[in-house]
Amino acid sequence: MEQDYLLITFRLLGSLALLIFGMKLMSDTLQKMAGPQLRHVLGAMTTNRFTGMLTGLFVTAAVQSSTATTVMTVSFVNAGLLTLAQAISVIMGANIGTTLTAWIMSAGFSFNITDFVWPVFFVAMFLIYKKKHADVGDFLFGIAFLFLGLGTLRQTGVDMHLGENEAVLSFFSSFDAHSYATTFIFLLIGGVLTMCVQSSAAVMAITMILCSSGALPIYQGIALVMGENIGTTVTSNLAAMSASTQARRAAFAHMFFNLFGVCWILLVFHPFIDMVCGFVGYDVTMSKESVDGAVFLANAAKLSAVLAAFHTCFNLTNTFILIGFIPQIERIVCWVIRPGSAEGSAGVEEIEEPVRLRYIQGGIMQTPEIAVLQAQREIVHYGERTDRMFGMVKMLRTETRDDAFVKLYSRVEKYEGISDRMEIEIATYLEQVSDAHLSDSTKAKIRSMMRQISEMESIGDACYNVARTLNRKFEQRVEFPQEVGQNIEKMMELVGESLAEMLSVLKGRRERMSMERTMAIEGNINQLRDRLREQNVADVNDHRYDYAVGTLYMDIVGGLEKLADYVVNVVEARLNG
């Protein structure tokens, strides 16, 4: 007997593992196939709260992951492409979209679906060996594992005979189904279970097993589902603790949405559930003692559909209640989640603060295809830092006061250190993303990004080298003739134009950009460098200034020209990635 229980336990755990793995494989593959398009959809279809809600619904239904939709949304908020209000509407839609998972599971519990998965496995096996159709094969494997897990769970529930187990029945019957205390207890159990297993789908499956076997009354089952809704938001809030302010606000808005829904549903708990049961055709009043056992189990078999219908009705009603109050929700979450000390009101970090990436956040679970967007925004941020560093070098050239020069040069040194660390942190992040299963286009983008950050780090080095030459000039008390100073200024202006064009290319859509302007500026820089070199030889020979001055002069010109070469490399990597 003990062996039977041990075998059933392993079957239960194994089928749950199959279910979770199938969901993840199916979701990841869908995002791999449609990730870039979904990013564009999120950016284009959130013009108001209703289109934002519909976007969240359809994207989540498509990729079967509300987490992926939330991560995409948060990255858009961090990047300034979506407001927090728009993000809240998308998250509301994601809550509705995720109810499709419950309906898929309900279908798996309604009939024996395992007989249909073997042909799917067979077809998927051939597809994964064809590179062109490998993603479709992975998707079919995900579906097959999902339904195999559901079918095995269903059969395990039947084999456990929970509806006939007196110990199980007496445990659940010891709770008063009409008591609010019972509802709170099961709500808490659902929340804790979800936080422990880190999967709302697994808790929903367990609930469906208990209810469809006739062991767990529907009121307690729905309380578990409500707890699962809260538990999944607690998990995302804990994950977002180390993330940016906007990420924490989005996570808290998700929690607020579900908490508010639980509060109002508790006021109309039994009438609302009775209404949903009426839709599905489940008889709430039927008891095991009043009817034949087969009739009772047939009625109980409808409970998986009741749970899915409740999940959908709850999220739909909650969304329609709250969608008109998005500005108020935004004010509440902004009041609760205040900006951190490192994030000032202007969003500008002090140079003395340790380097912190702005768009890449390690606290929230990333979806590989979506993480590329955050990495690209971080590279834009990196480019803005290098441009700011070059601005300091330009100021350094004209600074004459000793204390101000030393302070400014110290800032350039710190920026060079920050540039090195940013390269390492972004590269480490991209390496982690590249370990996942990615589409060929995304792999190419990651290779392009790796080259972009490598060249940007070289820009930072070039800025620092020019600053060091200016520091040598300052320490040696060398004075440049007016014409030399004007020539350096012209060179710096051209390099500044090149950096501005680089940022424009990094921020824009690749298909709308070209190398023409960058190469035109590069040609002007090279021509000016050649002319200045020739002029410098003539001026030294004519004794307009000595050789030491000419050496410092040419070091600065050469450093600026080298910096511009790195800028061209960044633009080339961006456009060819």
Side-chain angles (χ1 to χ4, degrees), residues 156-290:
T156 304
V158 172
D159 294 343
M160 290 171 73
H161 303 292
L162 293 172
E164 301 167 14
N165 190 310
E166 291 300 326
V168 174
L169 291 173
S170 62
F171 172 76
F172 287 122
S173 62
S174 64
F175 294 95
D176 182 1
H178 297 278
S179 168
Y180 273 105
T182 299
T183 303
F184 280 117
I185 289 170
F186 279 86
L187 195 149
L188 183 64
I189 292 171
V192 171
L193 271 176
T194 303
M195 286 188 284
C196 289
V197 301
Q198 293 285 298
S199 171
S200 56
V203 178
M204 176 68 82
I206 292 169
T207 307
M208 285 185 175
I209 287 177
L210 291 170
C211 287
S212 58
S213 65
L216 181 66
I218 185 59
Y219 297 116
Q220 283 96 311
I222 283 178
L224 282 176
V225 172
M226 289 163 54
E228 165 235 306
N229 271 347
I230 296 175
T232 194
T233 64
V234 172
T235 303
S236 62
N237 272 269
L238 290 173
M241 284 180 69
S242 61
S244 69
T245 299
Q246 293 290 57
R248 287 183 284 125
R249 284 172 176 169
F252 182 74
H254 192 197
M255 175 181 274
F256 177 88
F257 176 83
N258 281 3
L259 279 174
F260 179 86
V262 168
C263 288
W264 69 256
I265 204 74
L266 286 174
L267 299 176
V268 291
F269 189 64
H270 290 91
F272 192 87
I273 294 173
D274 292 345
M275 178 190 72
V276 173
C277 290
F279 290 156
V280 178
Y282 173 75
D283 187 353
V284 186
T285 60
M286 186 181 294
S287 64
K288 190 174 182 180
E289 295 76 18
S290 60

Side-chain angles (χ1 to χ4, degrees), residues 261-494:
V262 168
C263 288
W264 69 256
I265 204 74
L266 286 174
L267 299 176
V268 291
F269 189 64
H270 290 91
F272 192 87
I273 294 173
D274 292 345
M275 178 190 72
V276 173
C277 290
F279 290 156
V280 178
Y282 173 75
D283 187 353
V284 186
T285 60
M286 186 181 294
S287 64
K288 190 174 182 180
E289 295 76 18
S290 60
V291 293
D292 182 67
V295 176
F296 175 78
L297 288 176
N299 190 48
K302 299 176 183 176
L303 283 174
S304 60
V306 172
L307 290 169
F310 170 81
H311 202 212
T312 303
C313 292
F314 167 74
N315 282 297
L316 276 173
T317 309
N318 203 27
T319 297
F320 287 127
I321 290 173
L322 289 177
I323 199 165
F325 298 96
I326 287 178
Q328 289 76 14
I329 296 173
E330 182 182 17
R331 283 198 290 271
I332 290 170
V333 297
C334 289
W335 177 76
V336 174
I337 309 293
R338 304 292 177 90
S341 57
E343 301 172 72
S345 57
V348 179
E349 301 132 311
E350 290 296 323
I351 186 62
E352 288 75 15
E353 291 296 324
V355 61
R356 179 179 178 183
L357 300 183
R358 182 178 294 176
Y359 303 111
I360 293 174
Q361 305 297 338
I364 292 184
M365 183 180 69
Q366 297 295 338
T367 305
E369 292 288 331
I370 309 308
V372 173
L373 172 73
Q374 291 175 293
Q376 187 59 50
R377 294 301 301 175
E378 198 63 65
I379 289 172
V380 173
H381 178 215
Y382 192 6
E384 290 169 344
R385 273 190 175 278
T386 57
D387 183 54
R388 202 179 311 155
M389 184 179 180
F390 179 70
M392 293 177 193
V393 174
K394 289 176 68 176
M395 291 168 59
L396 203 60
R397 189 190 70 80
T398 56
E399 187 57 65
T400 56
R401 294 172 299 161
D402 289 7
D403 57 338
F405 185 95
V406 171
K407 185 176 181 181
L408 191 57
Y409 180 69
S410 176
R411 292 189 73 196
V412 173
E413 283 186 311
K414 288 182 179 179
Y415 257 84
E416 201 276 331
I418 287 174
S419 175
D420 290 345
R421 294 197 298 277
M422 284 189 76
E423 181 203 13
I424 292 170
E425 290 195 28
I426 297 173
T428 301
Y429 177 78
L430 289 173
E431 285 174 357
Q432 292 171 348
V433 173
S434 64
D435 287 338
H437 295 291
L438 301 169
S439 62
D440 290 339
S441 63
T442 303
K443 289 176 183 176
K445 284 179 186 175
I446 290 177
R447 288 193 296 270
S448 166
M449 289 177 182
M450 286 290 198
R451 188 183 170 202
Q452 290 172 49
I453 60 173
S454 174
E455 298 294 342
M456 279 188 193
E457 193 275 333
S458 297
I459 293 174
D461 288 344
C463 284
Y464 183 50
N465 288 335
V466 173
R468 287 168 63 188
T469 305
L470 290 170
N471 187 51
R472 287 206 318 271
K473 168 186 171 293
F474 176 79
E475 289 175 345
Q476 296 170 14
R477 301 298 176 182
V478 173
E479 291 295 331
F480 283 157
Q482 184 177 0
E483 185 181 352
V484 168
Q486 289 173 348
N487 289 337
I488 293 175
E489 182 65 29
K490 288 178 186 176
M491 195 74 169
M492 285 187 165
E493 284 177 5
L494 285 172

Side-chain angles (χ1 to χ4, degrees), residues 40-190:
H40 297 324
V41 166
L42 265 180
M45 291 184 60
T46 51
T47 52
N48 60 59
R49 67 188 70 176
F50 295 104
T51 57
M53 183 266 291
L54 290 173
T55 303
L57 191 162
F58 289 122
V59 169
T60 304
V63 300
Q64 277 300 290
S65 173
S66 59
T67 301
T69 308
T70 303
V71 169
M72 273 194 286
T73 305
V74 169
S75 68
F76 270 62
V77 174
N78 279 335
L81 302 176
L82 282 182
T83 65
L84 182 60
Q86 289 171 319
I88 292 170
S89 67
V90 173
I91 290 169
M92 287 181 176
N95 263 32
I96 299 173
T98 198
T99 61
L100 179 62
T101 304
W103 285 108
I104 292 173
M105 295 173 69
S106 174
F109 275 89
S110 299
F111 57 93
N112 189 5
I113 206 165
T114 53
D115 294 338
F116 299 95
V117 303
W118 310 117
V120 179
F121 275 124
F122 184 74
V123 173
M125 183 184 68
F126 285 101
L127 290 175
I128 61 169
Y129 288 107
K130 294 182 178 292
K131 188 174 181 180
K132 187 177 178 181
H133 304 294
D135 289 339
V136 178
D138 284 340
F139 174 68
L140 290 177
F141 264 123
I143 289 180
F145 278 123
L146 167 64
F147 283 117
L148 179 61
L150 283 173
T152 310
L153 269 175
R154 174 182 174 275
Q155 189 57 47
T156 304
V158 172
D159 294 343
M160 290 171 73
H161 303 292
L162 293 172
E164 301 167 14
N165 190 310
E166 291 300 326
V168 174
L169 291 173
S170 62
F171 172 76
F172 287 122
S173 62
S174 64
F175 294 95
D176 182 1
H178 297 278
S179 168
Y180 273 105
T182 299
T183 303
F184 280 117
I185 289 170
F186 279 86
L187 195 149
L188 183 64
I189 292 171

